[in-house]
Amino acid sequence: MIKSKNIKKTLSASFTAILAFSLISPVYGDASTTTVAGASTISAKVSAKLNQQFSDNEYVTYLVKLKDQVDTESVAKHAFQKASADQISPAAAKLSVRTTVVNSLIDTAEKSQQPVEEYLKKEVNNGGVKKYKSYFIVNALAVTSTKEVLDNLATLPEVDKILPDETRELQKVEIDKDAQTAVEEATAEQAAVDTAVTEENAQKSVEESVYKDAVTPSKAEWNISKIKAPQVWAKGIDGKGVVVANLDTGVEYTHPALKRKWRGLNASGQVVNPELSWYDAVNGASLPTDANGHGTHTMGTSVGSDSNGTNEIGVAPGARWIAVRVFNPNTTDSILLDGGQWLLAPVDKNGKKHPELAPDVVNNSWGGGAGQDEWYRPVTKAWRAAQIFPEFSAGNTTLSNPGGPGSVANPANLPEAYATGATDVNNKLASFSLRGPSPYGEVKPEITAPGVNIRSSVPGGVYEGGWNGTSMAGPHTAGLAALLLQAKPSLTVDQLEDVISKTATPLTDSQYKTSPNNGYGYGLIDALAAVNSVLN
């Protein structure tokens, strides 16, 4: 039996009241008068890595995390209880919960950050601070300053930790352009096996005829048919009404598989309020763009299809998309916080936040190293509390992380993240797919999806096959979540995870002899079984 995420991530029974912070401005001495007690406080709060960075640079960017953090799970629980008591619709309940979570985060940040910002503003004028930015999704600030300013910040009672603004790498993808022929041959063999699968006779004759037609190369890619998405489309469910996002390298919005699905276009194909459907946290581009290709490829697997039906590359071709560029091709923690925050409440030209325009699903085909690293955990918690499904790729082997037990990357290894590993056309675990368990003792990844020799959209308005990586697997799960939300819009994030896990096809091999396991999780996602389970 699957251990429900409702149990694993049980919401706190009591709501922690937000404490009011003192607004008394601290008194600062110069660096030469730092007391022994002050030096001890600085040492306890400041990462040793930052001290090393200051030895080579006068100004360094770092993150200041404050002590007062919102328990978003508890806030969401109480908001759901109120919505239930008010007997409002499921859609209205979700929006009410999301708005309550966002407002709670903003209020806490504004109150507790005030004395910190007062000091930073003064130091901007004095030349001690080059720039700073406030965040509410995690009650924190990104600051670029001198060492003296950092030391003074560390003495503030509001400050919990001061951490380096780490550089994060985009998950490496291997591209084998010669692999597509082998995939097509294996797909033909697998299709013959699939038609022999026993189903209820009355349903089988109808669904199998659709499936056979959909599996032809002119209709759907092998990976899309492998998870039985075309059979779900035959039921009239293709993700319509659902919004999928990604945090990635951007998206080429003019691509024929993606253009008409971008939320920033109206029914006439005109760009309307693009800032509410696209955010470039790296370069500030006003319209979606992607010089790398990674984000265009992953978004194509989630929602892509061209208008004439010759390239069915996406799991949920009826869904719409929005996107955030956070990689170019590398990034930093502050940029990822910025992008994650925008998804929670897109911002218009006047600076107004719009939680009602947050996506339903966010695909994260990126990750860091193995082991416990909770720097992004408050973000994933906030997304979940706001009912945004947080899919993360399990990660790929690298020189620094060669794989094996416990290698699954963070943030995918967090309890709040839903991780996807990669399989090939024969349902075998990809050699590069990282394994569990998580640092928290959980099965990871939770699920697997095709991630070897994947064909999807790439910049230039074209398509390219042979892409390998858990980055390619994750968007399948994100697309399946979109299908499920069209089938039953009231599904919560916890329920989505349970449905996807419970309906997966269990996978085992000589290393993983029982299911679930820390290679395949609960198995290969099955869109048809998942959607049928909520329709029934």
Side-chain angles (χ1 to χ4, degrees):
M1 179 177 292
I2 294 174
K3 185 177 181 182
S4 170
K5 288 275 181 172
N6 286 320
I7 297 173
K8 287 199 295 183
K9 294 186 271 291
T10 303
L11 300 178
S12 172
S14 62
F15 179 67
T16 304
I18 300 173
L19 300 177
F21 266 83
S22 169
L23 301 183
I24 301 174
S25 298
V27 178
Y28 304 104
D30 60 37
S32 63
T33 61
T34 301
T35 65
V36 174
S40 176
T41 299
I42 293 169
S43 177
K45 291 183 179 181
V46 179
S47 164
K49 187 173 183 179
L50 275 174
N51 292 324
Q52 297 174 357
Q53 292 179 2
F54 274 108
S55 65
D56 299 323
N57 304 278
E58 182 181 3
Y59 292 91
V60 172
T61 301
Y62 51 88
L63 298 175
V64 181
K65 184 178 180 182
L66 276 66
K67 290 179 180 178
D68 198 7
Q69 298 290 327
V70 177
D71 183 351
T72 51
E73 294 171 320
S74 183
V75 172
K77 178 182 179 181
H78 284 263
F80 265 123
Q81 290 174 341
K82 184 179 186 303
S84 178
D86 293 342
Q87 297 183 337
I88 61 178
S89 69
K94 279 191 175 183
L95 179 56
S96 176
V97 170
R98 180 177 295 163
T99 302
T100 301
V101 169
V102 171
N103 288 340
S104 179
L105 288 165
I106 292 173
D107 290 346
T108 300
E110 287 180 347
K111 291 177 182 177
S112 59
Q113 290 181 18
Q114 182 174 338
V116 180
E117 288 207 61
E118 287 177 356
Y119 171 61
L120 292 174
K121 288 176 182 177
K122 183 183 73 172
E123 287 301 323
V124 167
N125 294 329
N126 293 338
V129 174
K130 276 193 172 182
K131 62 180 180 178
Y132 71 90
K133 183 165 186 173
S134 168
Y135 301 102
F136 66 82
I137 194 167
V138 179
N139 190 8
L141 301 97
V143 180
T144 303
S145 81
T146 62
K147 179 68 163 58
E148 182 180 355
V149 170
L150 178 145
D151 289 344
N152 284 332
L153 286 171
T155 64
L156 293 179
E158 294 87 355
V159 173
D160 180 35
K161 294 178 182 178
I162 301 183
L163 305 167
D165 191 19
E166 299 277 13
T167 298
R168 305 286 171 171
E169 305 288 335
L170 187 67
Q171 286 185 357
K172 183 181 178 182
V173 174
E174 295 182 358
I175 304 174
D176 182 0
K177 296 181 179 180
D178 296 327
Q180 198 65 22
T181 301
V183 171
E184 291 170 357
E185 292 175 353
T187 301
E189 295 177 3
Q190 187 64 38
V193 174
D194 289 340
T195 58
V197 175
T198 302
E199 298 177 355
E200 292 183 14
N201 292 334
Q203 188 179 11
K204 178 179 178 182
S205 60
V206 175
E207 292 178 340
E208 196 172 77
S209 62
V210 175
Y211 186 37
K212 283 180 178 178
D213 178 56
V215 85
T216 57
S218 64
K219 291 291 183 180
E221 293 298 318
W222 75 267
N223 47 299
I224 303 303
S225 296
K226 170 71 73 172
I227 65 168
K228 302 178 185 176
Q231 292 163 283
V232 176
W233 307 338
K235 295 175 175 289
I237 296 172
D238 61 3
K240 185 178 181 180
V242 181
V243 177
V244 177
N246 69 3
L247 281 177
D248 216 301
T249 62
V251 176
E252 183 182 75
Y253 88 98
T254 56
H255 197 289
L258 297 169
K259 183 174 181 179
R260 69 193 186 283
K261 304 169 192 292
W262 181 41
R263 194 177 65 184
L265 296 182
N266 62 16
S268 301
Q270 299 171 316
V271 177
V272 179
N273 299 322
E275 73 281 356
L276 292 173
S277 297
W278 159 256
Y279 180 52
D280 187 347
V282 181
N283 297 326
S286 60
L287 291 174
T289 184
D290 179 16
N292 179 282
H294 190 277
T296 302
H297 198 279
T298 58
M299 187 60 80
T301 301
S302 288
V303 305
S305 66
D306 60 18
S307 57
N308 62 15
T310 57
N311 288 283
E312 296 288 1
I313 58 172
V315 177
R320 306 205 80 184
W321 64 268
I322 63 175
V324 179
R325 177 154 70 176
V326 288
F327 287 94
N328 193 33
N330 300 329
T331 192
T332 62
D333 290 350
S334 60
I335 292 174
L336 284 165
L337 289 177
D338 193 18
Q341 177 172 286
W342 182 90
L343 281 176
L344 194 63
V347 183
D348 64 23
K349 292 180 180 178
N350 299 317
K352 182 180 179 181
K353 299 175 180 65
H354 291 268
E356 76 278 7
L357 294 178
D360 303 291
V361 183
V362 56
N363 178 72
N364 297 274
S365 288
W366 58 272
Q372 188 166 320
D373 185 351
E374 298 194 340
W375 70 278
Y376 216 65
R377 192 172 186 184
V379 176
T380 58
K381 283 186 173 182
W383 285 346
R384 291 186 72 91
Q387 294 306 301
I388 300 172
F389 181 81
E391 191 285 323
F392 280 83
S393 295
N396 309 328
T397 56
T398 62
L399 290 176
S400 60
N401 185 359
S407 61
V408 62
N410 66 72
N413 64 17
L414 293 171
E416 292 77 20
Y418 194 71
T420 305
T423 50
D424 64 15
V425 69
N426 297 311
N427 294 345
K428 298 300 181 183
L429 190 65
S431 59
F432 55 75
S433 189
L434 297 181
R435 324 294 175 94
S438 79
Y440 306 88
E442 297 181 312
V443 169
K444 287 282 181 176
E446 281 89 349
I447 212 76
T448 49
V452 178
N453 297 332
I454 304 301
R455 181 175 179 269
S456 187
S457 46
V458 293
V462 296
Y463 301 85
E464 188 172 83
W467 284 51
N468 304 322
T470 56
S471 286
M472 285 55 263
H476 292 79
T477 304
L480 174 52
L483 296 178
L484 286 167
L485 284 170
Q486 182 191 354
K488 190 173 183 180
S490 64
L491 289 172
T492 65
V493 171
D494 287 341
Q495 291 169 339
L496 282 168
E497 293 183 347
D498 280 347
V499 168
I500 295 172
S501 295
K502 287 178 179 177
T503 57
T505 302
L507 295 177
T508 58
D509 58 26
S510 59
Q511 181 178 357
Y512 301 105
K513 297 182 179 180
T514 60
S515 183
N517 55 64
N518 286 304
Y520 301 92
Y522 289 92
L524 183 73
I525 60 172
D526 185 327
L528 181 61
V531 169
N532 279 342
S533 74
V534 300
L535 291 179
N536 294 336

